[in-house]
Amino acid sequence: MRKNLTTAATIILLLMSSLVSAQRGFRISPMYPNAGDTITITYNPDSTILKGLAPVTGVIYLFADFKWQADDLNMQMTDSGWAAKYILPGNASLLACNFSAAGKTDKGGRMTYAWMMTGNDHKQLPGGYSAWAFLRARSIHETVPDAVDTVALINDELALQWMIWEVRDHHESARKIFYNASTFMKNHYGRRADSTIREQIKYITSLPD
């Protein structure tokens, strides 16, 4: 099992490293946005299902303080495509964009139009890894914004790996991700997860408020 998770993690990291090149029609500036920054979102539909359609509208989904929120983007036509400026909340850890025109919506396919926020040290902020899992986990898809295509959905084993990375880097996230992480554990391991979940409950209840 550990070997499978290691292999899965390697695949995920390779996918993440190719994210920018795969999102040919989607760009965030600055490339490593900090929470609270004013960013420019640029979308060029020429290589997407929205090619030749106008006007293009946009929606931004944000995971901020471990809660989902959504906002409309004020898309304007530019020489490089459609663009919008947006001020990120100070507690945002991940964003995902959808673009629409003429009744069609482009969610980015397998790679999505998602982006993780970083701090001044370019490290992932609390909630970033978990949000990336929550957004795509097939088992809880109906409980989160419908911001990604079905081809981007992942199973509970991969979702659990992102939970591990979240708590590894941000111990304070444990309480906030517990419910979904327990769902992934229970779905993937069945009864074998019960003892681990009990241990996690004991650990979480021991944490200071």
Side-chain angles (χ1 to χ4, degrees):
M1 179 180 66
R2 181 171 297 176
K3 182 178 179 181
N4 290 340
L5 282 176
T6 301
T7 301
T10 302
I11 292 171
I12 291 169
L13 286 172
L14 289 172
L15 287 173
M16 290 295 289
S17 68
S18 64
L19 182 61
V20 175
S21 61
Q23 296 171 320
R24 290 189 302 273
F26 177 67
R27 188 170 70 253
I28 298 285
S29 180
M31 184 177 292
Y32 300 103
N34 295 337
D37 280 355
T38 296
I39 61 172
T40 299
I41 299 167
T42 304
Y43 172 73
N44 188 323
D46 286 351
S47 60
T48 77
I49 60 171
L50 302 189
K51 181 178 180 179
L53 302 179
V56 171
T57 60
V59 176
I60 184 170
Y61 298 94
L62 296 151
F63 195 67
D65 195 24
F66 290 85
K67 299 181 180 67
W68 291 105
Q69 59 189 63
D71 204 359
D72 292 329
L73 293 171
N74 182 21
M75 306 296 293
Q76 302 290 327
M77 186 62 182
T78 70
D79 291 340
S80 56
W82 294 84
K85 288 189 178 297
Y86 192 83
I87 301 174
L88 295 170
N91 53 6
S93 55
L94 179 137
L95 67 82
C97 294
N98 286 181
F99 303 98
S100 301
K104 296 182 179 180
T105 297
D106 179 13
K107 300 180 181 180
R110 183 180 298 278
M111 297 307 297
T112 78
Y113 294 136
W115 214 273
M116 287 187 191
M117 305 300 102
T118 60
N120 292 326
D121 56 3
H122 287 179
K123 292 183 179 180
Q124 304 303 331
L125 295 177
Y129 289 138
S130 55
W132 183 230
F134 297 162
L135 190 67
R136 300 175 304 130
R138 185 176 287 105
S139 62
I140 63 167
H141 187 59
E142 293 183 359
T143 70
V144 302
D146 186 22
V148 301
D149 291 310
T150 55
V151 69
L153 299 182
I154 60 175
N155 62 27
D156 292 302
E157 182 179 14
L158 293 184
L160 275 172
Q161 184 60 54
W162 289 103
M163 300 297 97
I164 292 170
W165 287 337
E166 176 70 38
V167 177
R168 177 199 65 189
D169 292 352
H170 304 287
H171 301 297
E172 69 276 18
S173 297
R175 180 179 291 158
K176 296 176 181 178
I177 69 172
F178 173 73
Y179 183 82
N180 283 342
S182 296
T183 298
F184 301 148
M185 249 188 285
K186 191 69 174 175
N187 288 344
H188 183 63
Y189 294 113
R191 291 184 177 178
R192 288 180 296 163
D194 291 347
S195 59
T196 301
I197 292 173
R198 285 194 294 269
E199 290 174 6
Q200 287 299 307
I201 291 173
K202 185 182 298 184
Y203 167 69
I204 289 171
T205 54
S206 72
L207 293 175
D209 292 333

